[in-house]
Amino acid sequence: MKISEILKTKRTLSFEVFPPKKEGEEKAELLKTIEKLGRLSPDFISVTYGAGGSNARDAAEIAGEIKKSGIEPLAHITGGPSDPSDIDRVSEKLISLGVENVLALRGDKPADFGEDYCKYFPHATDLMTYLGDKFCLGGACYPEGHPECDTLRDDIMNLKKKQDCGAEFLITQLFYDNSYYYRLLHEAGSLGVTVPIIPGIMPLVSAKNIRRIKSMCGSAIPLDFRNMIESYSKSPSVMREIGLNYAVYQIIDLIAKGAPGIHLYIMNRADTAAEICSRLENVFNEFFRA
Ligand code: FAD
């Protein structure tokens, strides 16, 4: 089913997984994770695609496995490393596996990639135009602004282009301060972006992830939360507790203010997803019904 159709009837709960780096055991582990995630009744599970495009086949196969398990997959595709024949190949594979939804992205140039990066698809919008109506298309957006854009306004004007090129929903980069999301909604609305913008939440369950998050996406961590992390970082179990509770707090606030869904970046950890869902059981039962 198309995610745009689901969004017309209810809030969506979704998770993101990434394909295994190695064949064999890791893939079996991911399939078990998908099975566990299925018990949490997500509306869709998204599968990332390597910025260099090397794991395209695995990503498509994982999307196919998700579909087989009865959950709607959202397959990411990055246009940056691809030429049109790569996109044709992956599209055909996804269609043959019954995948209806694609998150069309540009990707970031990996250090070992040549000058050809983005030669055919300089922006996500070019990939969206190329894919046309083969899939229900989604795009990425950035509550704190994409790092390459001078102003949030410029970035949001580009977001409007994504909508004009066929994006039917958007998923945000992770953030820890909900006010950035509300500002994005406000600014995007004033520039004519009308498609649902699903907030992406990544529970920060380990102190060592802070540095990674900073370098990966530069998301600001509110002072209160940072102080808690610094006070308890020496105790992994307490840190996990704090990270889960903070994510729960963000989600409750987002739903109270009308977010169209929640997308959880769970780093392939079904236990993290299960803990969040258990803490929010009544909220999900009450506010995520069709
Ligand atoms: P674009 O939309 O092309 O935007 C990049 C920059 O160009 C922005 O500054 C934007 O304002 C500007 N821009 C956009 N359109 C235009 C236009 N038409 N003309 C001029 N300027 C324009 N990376 C992966 O490698 N694999 C993944 O699976 C993956 N999944 C992601 C999922 C989500 C929800 C998010 C938020 C990010 C994901 N990323 C992934 C990271 C993403 O590839 C990077 O953030 C990348 O830098 C930008 O991708 P984009 O699709 O937003 O690019």
Side-chain angles (χ1 to χ4, degrees), residues 16 46-52 76-78 103-109 117 121-126 128 139-142 145-151 154-159 161-162 165 170-174 216 263 265:
E16 180 179 292
S46 81
V47 192
T48 65
Y49 189 94
H76 298 200
I77 302 182
T78 55
L103 192 71
L105 300 144
R106 184 198 68 186
D108 288 317
K109 184 180 167 186
Y117 204 80
F121 303 101
H123 287 291
T125 43
D126 301 296
M128 287 168 180
C141 63
Y142 304 85
H146 187 271
E148 288 163 33
C149 240
D150 290 336
T151 66
D154 289 346
D155 201 25
I156 294 177
M157 306 255 274
N158 291 327
L159 209 50
K161 289 185 197 160
K162 290 191 188 185
C165 290
L170 299 163
I171 301 181
T172 75
Q173 181 59 282
L174 58 94
M216 212 171 73
H263 187 66
Y265 295 107

Side-chain angles (χ1 to χ4, degrees), residues 119-277:
K119 182 173 172 190
Y120 296 96
F121 303 101
H123 287 291
T125 43
D126 301 296
L127 178 59
M128 287 168 180
T129 304
Y130 188 76
L131 289 170
D133 58 6
K134 283 197 176 114
F135 300 98
C136 167
L137 295 176
C141 63
Y142 304 85
E144 294 169 64
H146 187 271
E148 288 163 33
C149 240
D150 290 336
T151 66
L152 182 67
R153 193 185 158 81
D154 289 346
D155 201 25
I156 294 177
M157 306 255 274
N158 291 327
L159 209 50
K160 171 71 167 58
K161 289 185 197 160
K162 290 191 188 185
Q163 176 178 293
D164 295 342
C165 290
E168 296 183 70
F169 63 94
L170 299 163
I171 301 181
T172 75
Q173 181 59 282
L174 58 94
F175 57 88
Y176 293 96
D177 180 344
N178 289 0
S179 53
Y180 287 111
Y181 172 75
Y182 301 130
R183 181 185 63 168
L184 173 73
L185 286 191
H186 179 77
E187 301 288 324
S190 71
L191 290 171
V193 177
T194 53
V195 297
I197 300 182
I198 303 172
I201 297 295
M202 178 152 126
L204 187 50
V205 290
S206 152
K208 71 171 189 291
N209 286 349
I210 298 180
R211 218 168 298 129
R212 232 176 104 225
I213 283 164
K214 271 256 148 229
S215 66
M216 212 171 73
C217 56
S219 298
I221 299 184
L223 189 59
D224 284 1
F225 187 33
R226 178 171 280 279
N227 283 340
M228 288 180 216
I229 294 166
E230 278 169 12
S231 304
Y232 297 110
S233 61
K234 295 219 161 45
S235 169
S237 57
V238 177
M239 188 49 231
R240 183 169 171 77
E241 196 72 20
I242 291 170
L244 290 170
N245 282 333
Y246 191 80
V248 163
Y249 158 78
Q250 279 192 281
I251 293 169
I252 292 172
D253 181 60
L254 289 163
I255 293 167
K257 296 198 174 81
I262 296 291
H263 187 66
L264 282 175
Y265 295 107
I266 51 152
M267 308 302 288
N268 287 7
R269 297 276 308 258
D271 56 342
T272 299
E275 286 223 39
I276 299 272
C277 288

